[in-house]
Amino acid sequence: MTTVRQPLTEMTVAATELALALGRGETVSRIGIELATTLVVRDSAAGPAADRT
């Protein structure tokens, strides 16, 4: 099974900072944020059909 690993700690920090800023009544210039993800190909993933014999 192939999955996408998400940076949960960075997501939590960004969300907390945004929530605190909004709670203080600050104007937030951007609500979206891009964080890097990692594709995790596990051993159970089959290769292309040409590789299978």
Side-chain angles (χ1 to χ4, degrees), residues 3-52:
T3 60
V4 176
R5 180 171 292 139
Q6 298 177 326
L8 295 179
T9 301
E10 293 175 46
M11 292 167 62
T12 303
V13 169
T16 302
E17 289 173 349
L18 175 61
L20 290 172
L22 292 173
R24 289 188 296 262
E26 297 175 10
T27 301
V28 180
S29 61
R30 84 179 168 165
I31 294 180
I33 185 171
E34 287 188 32
L35 298 172
T37 57
T38 305
L39 183 65
V40 180
V41 180
R42 306 210 185 266
D43 291 335
S44 61
D51 289 347
R52 288 184 255 151

